Short mmCIF file of all heavy atoms in Angstrom, two decimals:
data_model
loop_
_atom_site.label_atom_id
_atom_site.label_comp_id
_atom_site.label_asym_id
_atom_site.label_seq_id
_atom_site.Cartn_x
_atom_site.Cartn_y
_atom_site.Cartn_z
N ILE A 547 98.06 9.58 67.34
CA ILE A 547 97.56 10.97 67.37
C ILE A 547 98.47 11.85 68.18
O ILE A 547 98.53 11.73 69.43
CB ILE A 547 96.13 11.02 67.84
CG1 ILE A 547 95.18 10.09 67.07
CG2 ILE A 547 95.62 12.47 67.76
CD1 ILE A 547 93.88 9.92 67.65
N SER A 548 99.25 12.68 67.48
CA SER A 548 100.40 13.36 68.17
C SER A 548 100.05 14.87 68.42
O SER A 548 99.19 15.48 67.73
CB SER A 548 101.63 13.24 67.38
OG SER A 548 101.54 14.06 66.24
N ARG A 549 100.64 15.35 69.50
CA ARG A 549 100.48 16.66 69.82
C ARG A 549 101.06 17.63 68.78
O ARG A 549 100.78 18.90 68.77
CB ARG A 549 101.15 17.02 71.21
CG ARG A 549 100.58 16.32 72.36
CD ARG A 549 101.14 16.74 73.63
NE ARG A 549 100.63 18.14 73.84
CZ ARG A 549 101.02 18.96 74.84
NH1 ARG A 549 101.98 18.61 75.58
NH2 ARG A 549 100.58 20.15 74.97
N MET A 566 96.42 17.66 61.04
CA MET A 566 95.33 18.31 61.74
C MET A 566 95.37 19.76 61.36
O MET A 566 96.50 20.30 61.11
CB MET A 566 95.55 18.26 63.31
CG MET A 566 95.09 16.91 63.89
SD MET A 566 94.98 17.02 65.65
CE MET A 566 96.60 16.56 66.12
N THR A 571 94.06 21.13 68.45
CA THR A 571 95.22 20.56 69.18
C THR A 571 94.62 19.34 69.98
O THR A 571 93.47 19.31 70.35
CB THR A 571 95.82 21.55 70.24
OG1 THR A 571 94.85 21.99 71.08
CG2 THR A 571 96.51 22.77 69.48
N VAL A 572 95.57 18.49 70.36
CA VAL A 572 95.15 17.27 71.04
C VAL A 572 95.78 17.38 72.48
O VAL A 572 96.90 18.02 72.66
CB VAL A 572 95.56 15.92 70.35
CG1 VAL A 572 97.06 15.73 70.34
CG2 VAL A 572 94.92 14.75 71.05
N THR A 573 95.14 16.94 73.52
CA THR A 573 95.57 17.04 74.80
C THR A 573 96.93 16.27 75.06
O THR A 573 97.89 16.87 75.65
CB THR A 573 94.50 16.45 75.90
OG1 THR A 573 93.35 17.03 75.65
CG2 THR A 573 94.93 16.68 77.29
N LYS A 574 97.05 15.16 74.63
CA LYS A 574 98.33 14.38 74.67
C LYS A 574 98.49 13.47 73.52
O LYS A 574 97.49 13.01 72.95
CB LYS A 574 98.46 13.72 76.02
CG LYS A 574 97.36 12.62 76.22
CD LYS A 574 97.53 11.82 77.58
CE LYS A 574 96.55 10.78 77.65
NZ LYS A 574 96.68 10.05 78.92
N THR A 575 99.66 13.09 73.29
CA THR A 575 99.94 12.13 72.24
C THR A 575 99.39 10.73 72.65
O THR A 575 99.63 10.32 73.77
CB THR A 575 101.43 12.00 71.92
OG1 THR A 575 101.90 13.23 71.46
CG2 THR A 575 101.73 10.88 70.90
N THR A 576 98.63 10.12 71.78
CA THR A 576 97.99 8.87 72.09
C THR A 576 98.22 7.87 70.94
O THR A 576 98.12 8.19 69.72
CB THR A 576 96.42 9.11 72.15
OG1 THR A 576 96.20 10.15 73.12
CG2 THR A 576 95.70 7.87 72.54
N THR A 590 89.24 7.51 75.46
CA THR A 590 88.69 8.81 75.09
C THR A 590 89.86 9.72 74.73
O THR A 590 90.84 9.84 75.57
CB THR A 590 87.81 9.45 76.10
OG1 THR A 590 86.74 8.60 76.39
CG2 THR A 590 87.29 10.74 75.71
N ILE A 591 89.84 10.34 73.61
CA ILE A 591 90.90 11.26 73.18
C ILE A 591 90.23 12.68 73.04
O ILE A 591 89.18 12.81 72.36
CB ILE A 591 91.50 10.84 71.85
CG1 ILE A 591 92.00 9.39 71.97
CG2 ILE A 591 92.57 11.79 71.43
CD1 ILE A 591 92.34 8.82 70.65
N GLN A 592 90.76 13.70 73.68
CA GLN A 592 90.28 15.02 73.63
C GLN A 592 91.04 15.99 72.63
O GLN A 592 92.26 16.00 72.71
CB GLN A 592 90.24 15.55 75.04
CG GLN A 592 89.28 14.88 75.99
CD GLN A 592 89.22 15.56 77.34
OE1 GLN A 592 89.87 16.47 77.64
NE2 GLN A 592 88.31 15.02 78.16
N PHE A 593 90.21 16.64 71.92
CA PHE A 593 90.82 17.71 71.00
C PHE A 593 90.16 19.04 71.42
O PHE A 593 89.05 19.17 71.87
CB PHE A 593 90.35 17.37 69.50
CG PHE A 593 90.93 16.12 68.97
CD1 PHE A 593 90.27 14.86 69.21
CD2 PHE A 593 91.95 16.15 68.15
CE1 PHE A 593 90.79 13.75 68.70
CE2 PHE A 593 92.53 14.97 67.61
CZ PHE A 593 91.89 13.76 67.80
N HIS A 594 91.03 20.09 71.25
CA HIS A 594 90.57 21.44 71.51
C HIS A 594 90.69 22.30 70.25
O HIS A 594 91.73 22.23 69.58
CB HIS A 594 91.37 22.06 72.66
CG HIS A 594 91.29 21.23 73.90
ND1 HIS A 594 90.26 21.23 74.73
CD2 HIS A 594 92.19 20.36 74.43
CE1 HIS A 594 90.49 20.35 75.83
NE2 HIS A 594 91.66 19.81 75.64
N TYR A 601 86.23 18.70 71.45
CA TYR A 601 85.80 17.34 70.74
C TYR A 601 86.37 16.17 71.61
O TYR A 601 87.47 16.21 72.14
CB TYR A 601 86.41 17.28 69.38
CG TYR A 601 85.98 18.39 68.44
CD1 TYR A 601 86.71 19.57 68.27
CD2 TYR A 601 84.82 18.30 67.64
CE1 TYR A 601 86.38 20.55 67.40
CE2 TYR A 601 84.44 19.24 66.74
CZ TYR A 601 85.24 20.42 66.68
OH TYR A 601 84.87 21.39 65.80
#
Side-chain angles (χ1 to χ4, degrees):
I547 302 170
S548 69
R549 292 189 73 189
M566 279 192 271
T571 57
V572 66
T573 306
K574 64 180 181 175
T575 299
T576 306
T590 300
I591 304 167
Q592 294 186 353
F593 295 83
H594 302 283
Y601 299 92

